[in-house]
């Protein structure tokens, strides 16, 4: 038994130093180097330990509810007018997104290392809630660092974390948002790297996190591969996933990297449009740099300071991207593309109205691109979309800022939603 069985060892990456080609590695203050080496060594051991793998598998099944289903979105496919669209339903996981997959792995690792406490930063609170959940389950303390502005903005998630027993530490310095929360969490980690461990929320950060988080997420791809063969009768022709840091995308891509006939698409947030500068499309617009301890494409200014980034989906709002994505882009194995805020909102409504599934705004970016791609690929082809999370958290925001009437004149509800879907293809406003 192994944690990962297929695909991700293509090119055997990362290498021993944590590089995917020229990307990745570990760029840390000397005090943290030894700490990361300990994490790496512990992961090396447990990732081959049948007991650990069994424990994680049981939690995945009986706690999270895995495997998550693959579902044929027949009405959406019909309306898109081309390839058949399938959804990998990570939105049905306990806590409502894919993040629980790596949080369970990380907290289980912490426990095996004898740690008492897990710490992390969070922006919108999604990673904080998933980590607080895993910490509650496994009986560890949990400190979540969050910018003061985000604490106010994301009150329901702050309450969820508190109910789950986590301590939410409001960070009042600097911009009082995610960047300062990262700094504060790193400082806390430096003060006591023995009893606590930093749990990163995506396939980013210093080695071994991009590898480790990918491995914990690879369960998505392994399941989806089998499910497509048994349910849809073949592998998909294309897979589409949204990319913030890139963990849900790496999770689903990892099992298909060796399948050269399966085209892979990563969708970054174009926000209000790439030309406006208000986006977080790191692969499209970034340059090589170092951010949060790793080398990758980064949205940065001339001095290497991360640029302010923006997306309607706070989970995609990050000025870097996982190093394996930069690598897969450089070798052309994955095609990276974008969807705007508006396209995402339209896909949000489309999936809700046509399939009864309210997607997270992050995941809506993938749905929006899949609808376009379905037309291009044409009939007889199959597209698998990784539906990374559910949209309950986004409902109030969408209703307030993008009211339905603007998008959906009555007559568009009639046959096949053709008119409505036409908009998904194009930028407006
Ligand atoms: C956090 C989040 C994302 C973005 O994270 P990745 O690491 O890029 O996968 C995407 N979808 C949902 C629902 C999220 O909560």
């Amino acid at each position: 038994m192994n944690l990962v069985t297929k695909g991700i060892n293509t090119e055997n990456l990362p290498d021993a130093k944590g590089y995917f080609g020229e990307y990745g590695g570990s760029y840390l203050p000397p005090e943290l180097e030894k700490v990361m080496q300990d994490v790496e060594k512990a992961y090396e051991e447990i990732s081959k330990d049948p007991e650990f793998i069994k424990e994680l598998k049981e939690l995945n099944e009986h706690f999270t509810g895995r495997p998550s289903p693959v579902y044929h979105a027949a009405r959406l496919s019909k309306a898109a007018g081309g390839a058949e669209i399938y959804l990998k339903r990570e939105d049905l996981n306990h806590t409502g997104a894919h993040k629980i997959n790596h949080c369970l792995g990380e907290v289980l690792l912490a426990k095996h290392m004898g740690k008492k406490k897990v710490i992390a930063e969070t922006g919108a609170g999604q990673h904080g809630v998933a980590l607080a959940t895993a910490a509650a389950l496994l009986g560890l303390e949990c400190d979540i660092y969050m910018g003061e502005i985000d604490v106010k903005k994301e009150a329901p998630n702050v309450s969820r974390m508190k109910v789950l027993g986590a301590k939410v530490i409001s960070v009042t310095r600097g911009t009082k948002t995610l960047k300062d929360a990262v700094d504060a969490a790193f400082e806390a980690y430096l003060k006591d790297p023995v009893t606590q461990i930093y749990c990163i929320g995506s396939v980013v950060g210093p080695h071994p996190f991009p590898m480790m988080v990918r491995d914990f997420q690879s369960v998505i791809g392994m399941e989806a591969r089998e499910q497509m063969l048994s349910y849809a009768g073949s592998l998909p022709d294309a897979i589409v996933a949204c990319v913030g840091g890139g963990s849900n995308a790496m999770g689903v891509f990892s099992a298909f990297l060796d399948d050269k006939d399966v085209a892979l698409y990563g969708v970054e947030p174009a926000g209000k449009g790439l030309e406006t500068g208000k986006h977080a499309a790191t692969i499209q617009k970034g340059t090589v740099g170092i951010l949060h301890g790793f080398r990758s494409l980064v949205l940065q200014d001339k001095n290497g300071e991360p640029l302010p980034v923006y997306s309607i989906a706070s989970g995609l709002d990050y000025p870097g991207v996982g190093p394996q994505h930069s690598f897969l882009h450089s070798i052309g194995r994955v095609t990276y593309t974008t969807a705007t805020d508006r396209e995402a909102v339209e896909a949000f409504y489309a999936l809700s109205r046509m399939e009864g599934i309210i997607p997270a705004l992050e995941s809506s970016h993938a749905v929006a691109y899949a609808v376009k791609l379905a037309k291009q690929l044409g009939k007889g082809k199959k597209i698998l979309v990784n539906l990374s999370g559910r949209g309950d958290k986004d409902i109030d925001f969408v209703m307030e800022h993008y009211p339905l009437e603007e998008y959906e004149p009555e007559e568009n509800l009639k046959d096949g939603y053709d008119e409505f879907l036409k908009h998904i293809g194009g930028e407006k406003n």
Side-chain angles (χ1 to χ4, degrees):
M1 197 157 57
N2 208 323
L3 200 57
V4 268
T5 55
K6 185 164 192 322
I8 68 167
N9 284 326
T10 302
E11 324 232 358
N12 237 349
L13 295 174
D15 66 19
K17 293 217 152 86
Y19 280 91
F20 305 85
E22 62 169 302
Y23 304 107
S26 183
Y27 298 81
L28 289 170
E31 313 92 276
L32 275 182
E33 269 169 30
K34 164 88 175 50
V35 175
M36 275 307 143
Q37 282 160 11
D38 289 347
V39 174
E40 190 189 338
K41 201 160 138 269
Y43 179 63
E44 181 75 25
E45 282 165 19
I46 55 104
S47 66
K48 297 191 187 90
D49 175 2
E51 272 307 304
F52 178 89
I53 295 167
K54 184 160 162 270
E55 211 174 335
L56 182 59
K57 190 160 180 284
E58 273 177 20
L59 291 178
N60 278 341
E61 281 178 28
H62 298 285
F63 184 71
T64 305
R66 305 206 69 88
S68 64
V70 161
Y71 164 74
H72 179 211
R75 295 189 72 210
L76 183 74
S77 305
K78 185 157 177 284
E84 297 303 319
I85 298 171
Y86 294 80
L87 308 174
K88 177 64 172 162
R89 300 286 312 274
E90 291 299 296
D91 60 309
L92 292 178
N93 294 340
H94 176 49
T95 68
H98 70 288
K99 284 193 175 76
I100 192 71
N101 300 332
H102 64 245
C103 286
L104 285 178
E106 286 176 326
V107 178
L108 214 47
L109 171 73
K111 204 169 166 178
H112 278 250
M113 289 179 77
K115 304 291 181 188
K116 299 255 171 305
K117 186 192 277 184
V118 291
I119 64 172
E121 83 292 341
T122 195
Q126 298 299 109
H127 177 53
V129 169
L131 194 65
T133 301
L137 172 73
L138 293 164
L140 269 77
E141 291 172 45
C142 180
D143 283 359
I144 300 293
Y145 293 81
M146 196 169 181
E148 190 184 27
I149 292 179
D150 293 329
V151 170
K152 290 203 182 101
K153 222 162 92 184
E154 310 291 345
N157 273 343
V158 173
S159 300
R160 283 167 88 191
M161 287 184 266
K162 287 183 178 164
V163 167
L164 289 162
K167 196 162 114 199
V168 179
I169 297 143
S170 176
V171 179
T172 55
R173 66 170 91 160
T175 59
K176 303 176 187 171
T177 59
L178 182 61
K179 187 183 163 294
D180 305 286
V182 174
D183 294 342
F186 256 106
E187 276 166 32
Y189 190 29
L190 268 176
K191 269 189 205 134
D192 176 13
V194 177
T195 58
Q196 47 184 12
I197 183 172
Y198 198 133
C199 292
I200 292 176
S202 187
V203 286
V204 299
H207 182 61
F209 281 94
M211 167 179 80
M212 199 162 82
V213 171
R214 173 201 68 189
D215 292 355
F216 291 141
Q217 288 294 348
S218 68
V219 66
I220 301 176
M222 287 191 280
E223 286 175 7
R225 205 167 188 286
E226 278 176 32
Q227 289 166 316
M228 284 303 291
L229 289 171
S230 61
Y231 172 61
S234 72
L235 293 184
D237 298 283
I239 300 178
V240 182
C242 65
V243 176
S247 65
N248 87 87
M250 271 326 305
V252 70
F253 292 167
S254 59
F256 297 88
L257 290 174
D258 290 339
D259 299 304
K260 297 297 182 211
D261 292 339
V262 180
L264 305 174
Y265 294 90
V267 186
E268 295 191 306
K272 295 188 188 298
L274 290 183
E275 69 292 347
T276 65
K278 289 201 157 78
H279 62 78
T282 309
I283 293 191
Q284 305 297 319
K285 293 286 182 188
T287 50
V288 178
I290 289 161
L291 176 72
H292 299 150
F294 67 108
R295 187 167 199 266
S296 193
L297 291 169
V298 180
L299 289 166
Q300 57 189 341
D301 67 17
K302 290 196 298 290
N303 306 318
E305 283 297 311
L307 288 168
V309 284
Y310 163 82
S311 166
I312 189 173
S314 47
L316 303 181
D317 196 349
Y318 183 63
V321 67
Q324 194 166 8
H325 285 290
S326 294
F327 174 72
L328 291 168
H329 169 66
S330 74
I331 62 167
R333 177 62 188 98
V334 178
T335 302
Y336 293 87
T337 179
T338 60
T340 63
D341 283 2
R342 292 211 144 225
E343 289 170 327
V345 169
E346 286 166 2
F348 173 93
Y349 280 132
L351 198 65
S352 301
R353 287 301 172 103
M354 280 180 240
E355 300 290 351
I357 297 170
I358 303 175
L361 280 173
E362 290 83 1
S363 324
S364 301
H365 287 71
V367 175
Y369 185 72
V371 169
K372 276 193 214 174
L373 186 64
K375 270 207 193 86
Q376 283 168 27
L377 289 182
K379 296 234 185 284
K381 303 284 187 185
K382 292 168 191 156
I383 299 173
L384 177 68
V385 176
N386 196 28
L387 202 73
S388 55
R390 66 175 183 228
D392 305 44
K393 66 183 179 58
D394 299 315
I395 298 172
D396 293 342
F397 177 86
V398 172
M399 289 296 275
E400 187 182 338
H401 296 277
Y402 297 85
L404 208 51
E405 309 81 64
E406 236 181 75
Y407 284 91
E408 199 186 48
E410 277 303 306
E411 65 268 24
N412 294 344
L413 278 170
K414 282 172 195 153
D415 23 64
Y417 297 86
D418 271 5
E419 277 301 305
F420 184 44
L421 266 170
K422 222 160 58 194
H423 300 313
I424 294 177
E427 260 259 63
K428 293 197 303 297
N429 183 325

